[in-house]
């Protein structure tokens, strides 16, 4: 029986643990936090009784049957169709940009064809192709919509001028010429009824999995195991020997209020001068419960300092050399595989994290 150490009890670590345990391996999972589920951890706010997502909103969405069936083994998923609104210059708009947003913004009643035509006339089609966030968006939607909905938000989110950012950041969001205001286009979408921490705990609930919380990784731990899967930060594993890989972190400012604060789960704030990018009102995620009061959180992104929690990997071309140096060290490690968002230094939606973990588990089992 292979003995496996898994560092990190987030979705990646838990998926690996479950899959390898079901194939007969003996699994030890450690996590330095005092809970499982990593950044999708949920807990109950003691004052309002509302289930909160401690490290920001996570809505599960996927196109893959096998991922959807996998998570549904461990939790009932409540239907949830994620919608987001945004405030720009003291007015509320529909998001992602759709026909409603365009008509609201220009005070018109365009049909889809008219809206397309209007935006085409607004955008300077002679602009040279620019493969950066700002250039691509301005060419697609014109400078006014870009300034109202993308410039300020993106500058706050990434702490850099949008023209210095890759266009790929924006590919997560569609622009639609109809009234579909769904944030995600996926086939499956939902929220675990009892929260992600309950879901991950159930994933880890097998006799051949042990979980130790409040336990940080150190090199001496790897002896005695046949293989280690490490989902902590890649640069930290190597003692930051080449310097730090850049991350953005988020300051979460929590506050409570009576009744209903904003009427929806997520309100974005696109103006540059408002420090937060969005306010999350958690009770709107668990719409199947009723609560008198409410608890909300403002998200203020900033550069990740030494004692901050790394959230968004800043994986731009300028950091490729540093990343390559760490990847070279990583590939020289024997019997240790780096996994997950922090281990691979890439932004991963939850379904992608699970999918990659399933693939890594399959790869490992084939090597036996
Ligand atoms: N974005 C924006 N305005 C918005 C929402 C998003 O400019 O109101 C940009 C921003 O650069 C962000 C990217 O689109 O990083 C992807 O947005 P998404 O909502 O997917 O970000 P996440 O939920 O992952 O933080």
């Amino acid at each position: 029986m292979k003995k496996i150490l898994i560092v990190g009890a987030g979705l990646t670590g838990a998926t690996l643990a479950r899959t390898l345990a079901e194939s007969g391996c003996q699994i030890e999972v450690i996590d330095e936090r005092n809970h499982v589920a990593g950044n999708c951890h949920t807990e109950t706010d003691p004052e309002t009784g509302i289930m909160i997502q401690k490290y920001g909103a996570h809505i599960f969405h996927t196109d893959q049957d096998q991922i959807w069936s996998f998570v549904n083994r461990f939790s009932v998923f409540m239907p949830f169709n994620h919608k987001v609104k945004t405030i720009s210059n003291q007015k509320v708009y529909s998001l992602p940009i759709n026909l409603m947003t365009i008509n609201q913004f220009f005070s018109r009643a365009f049909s889809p064809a008219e809206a397309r035509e209007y935006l085409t006339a607004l955008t300077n089609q002679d602009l040279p192709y620019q493969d950066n966030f700002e250039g691509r968006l301005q060419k697609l939607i014109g400078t006014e919509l870009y300034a109202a909905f993308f410039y300020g938000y993106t500058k706050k989110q990434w702490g850099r001028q949008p023209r210095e950012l890759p266009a790929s950041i924006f590919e997560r969001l569609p622009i639609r010429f109809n009234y579909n205001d769904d944030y995600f286009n996926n086939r499956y979408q939902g929220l675990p009824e009892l929260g992600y921490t309950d879901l991950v705990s159930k994933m880890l609930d097998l006799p051949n999995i042990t979980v130790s919380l409040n336990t940080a990784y150190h090199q001496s731990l790897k002896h005695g195991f046949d293989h280690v899967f490490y989902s902590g930060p890649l640069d930290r594993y190597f003692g930051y020997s080449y310097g730090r890989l850049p991350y953005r972190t988020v300051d979460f400012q929590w506050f409570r209020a009576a009744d209903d604060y904003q009427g929806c789960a997520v309100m974005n704030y696109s103006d540059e001068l408002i420090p937060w990018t969005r306010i999350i009102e958690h009770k709107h995620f668990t719409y199947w419960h009723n609560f008198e009061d409410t608890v909300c959180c403002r998200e203020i992104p900033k550069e990740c300092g030494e004692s901050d929690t790394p959230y968004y990997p800043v994986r731009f071309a300028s950091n490729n050399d540093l990343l390559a140096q760490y990847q070279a060290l990583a590939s020289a490690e024997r019997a240790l595989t780096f996994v997950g968002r922090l281990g691979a230094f890439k932004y991963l939606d939850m379904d992608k994290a699970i999918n990659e973990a399933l693939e890594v588990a399959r790869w490992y089992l084939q090597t036996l």
Side-chain angles (χ1 to χ4, degrees):
M1 188 191 269
K2 293 288 176 194
K3 283 189 74 188
I4 311 282
L5 175 65
I6 295 178
V7 182
L11 277 181
T12 296
T15 304
L16 272 162
R18 183 77 195 192
T19 315
L20 296 176
E22 286 178 350
S23 298
C25 300
Q26 179 65 42
I27 311 291
E28 187 152 342
V29 181
I30 59 167
D31 198 297
E32 60 188 4
R33 288 178 173 168
N34 62 1
H35 57 76
V36 300
N39 282 353
C40 59
H41 169 61
T42 40
E43 62 185 43
T44 303
D45 173 44
E47 280 192 32
T48 58
I50 295 166
M51 182 162 74
I52 55 173
Q53 302 195 24
K54 206 64 210 269
Y55 309 94
H58 290 75
I59 295 100
F60 200 89
H61 55 105
T62 187
D63 287 325
Q64 289 176 274
D65 295 326
Q66 65 150 359
I67 304 293
W68 187 240
S69 322
F70 181 73
V71 292
N72 274 273
R73 285 173 56 196
F74 309 107
S75 174
V76 169
F77 268 73
M78 299 299 279
F80 189 82
N81 189 10
H82 190 38
K83 310 255 184 202
V84 176
K85 304 277 177 280
T86 188
I87 295 183
S88 172
N89 198 14
Q90 296 175 28
K91 289 202 181 115
V92 179
Y93 296 92
S94 179
L95 208 75
I97 292 191
N98 64 77
L99 194 51
M100 181 62 96
T101 329
I102 297 168
N103 278 327
Q104 285 172 322
F105 189 77
F106 295 110
S107 303
R108 305 296 278 266
F110 290 135
S111 68
E114 287 166 345
R116 262 182 213 282
E117 215 174 293
Y118 188 78
L119 286 199
T120 308
L122 271 188
T123 55
N124 182 353
Q125 295 305 315
D126 299 331
L127 278 177
Y129 176 76
Q130 288 185 60
D131 194 19
N132 67 61
F133 184 88
E134 182 164 288
R136 281 270 286 282
L137 264 172
Q138 283 186 338
K139 200 158 173 148
L140 196 65
I141 57 171
T143 50
E144 284 176 84
L145 286 173
Y146 167 73
F149 299 113
F150 291 102
Y151 175 80
Y153 188 101
T154 298
K155 198 170 165 214
K156 290 188 285 188
Q157 172 76 11
W158 295 101
R160 287 151 178 82
Q161 281 297 337
R163 79 179 92 84
E164 293 161 13
L165 301 174
S168 57
I169 290 180
F170 151 76
E171 279 154 16
R172 293 171 56 80
L173 282 187
I175 305 276
R176 301 200 188 101
F177 290 94
N178 55 32
Y179 288 106
N180 177 1
D181 63 350
D182 292 347
Y183 208 68
F184 302 123
N185 268 327
N186 303 95
R187 180 158 182 199
Y188 304 111
Q189 200 179 149
L191 290 168
E193 186 181 17
L194 303 175
Y196 290 98
T197 301
D198 175 78
L199 173 124
V200 171
S201 304
K202 288 185 175 132
M203 288 169 79
L204 294 169
D205 186 18
L206 277 182
N208 51 338
I209 301 179
T210 57
V211 180
S212 307
L213 298 176
N214 304 305
T215 307
Y217 177 77
H218 54 87
Q219 295 292 347
S220 64
L221 278 179
K222 70 177 164 196
H223 306 298
F225 289 97
D226 295 296
H227 202 94
V228 179
F229 293 95
Y230 178 90
S231 70
L234 176 63
D235 52 355
R236 189 164 87 183
Y237 181 86
F238 294 109
Y240 305 105
S241 50
Y242 295 124
R244 282 174 183 266
L245 286 166
Y247 280 95
R248 297 289 286 170
T249 189
V250 181
D251 266 348
F252 295 107
Q253 273 186 3
W254 291 89
F255 63 95
R256 295 188 184 87
D259 193 20
D260 192 346
Y261 180 74
Q262 61 185 17
C264 62
V266 180
M267 180 67 81
N268 284 4
Y269 286 79
S270 59
D271 296 334
E272 188 184 352
L273 294 179
I274 293 179
W276 49 92
T277 47
R278 54 192 176 193
I279 296 181
I280 312 293
E281 185 166 6
H282 289 261
K283 76 173 180 182
H284 293 297
F285 288 125
T286 52
Y287 58 87
W288 54 93
H289 291 302
N290 283 318
F291 298 100
E292 263 177 38
D293 293 328
T294 194
V295 57
C296 301
C297 188
R298 295 188 192 95
E299 294 191 3
I300 304 176
K302 60 173 196 183
E303 212 63 15
C304 188
E306 292 190 12
S307 54
D308 295 322
T309 310
Y311 287 108
Y312 296 91
V314 184
R315 194 168 177 169
F316 304 150
S318 51
N319 305 315
N320 282 351
D321 290 348
L322 183 59
L323 179 58
Q325 284 177 303
Y326 279 116
Q327 284 170 335
L329 290 181
S331 55
E333 281 288 317
R334 292 211 325 211
L336 188 141
T337 309
F338 292 88
V339 290
R341 181 178 55 99
L342 301 172
F345 191 62
K346 65 179 175 195
Y347 192 83
L348 285 174
D349 281 337
M350 287 185 286
D351 64 326
K352 302 285 180 309
I354 291 176
N355 192 45
E356 290 206 358
L358 290 172
E359 279 172 10
V360 171
R362 242 175 262 134
W363 158 80
Y364 177 72
L365 291 169
Q366 273 167 17
T367 65
L368 299 182

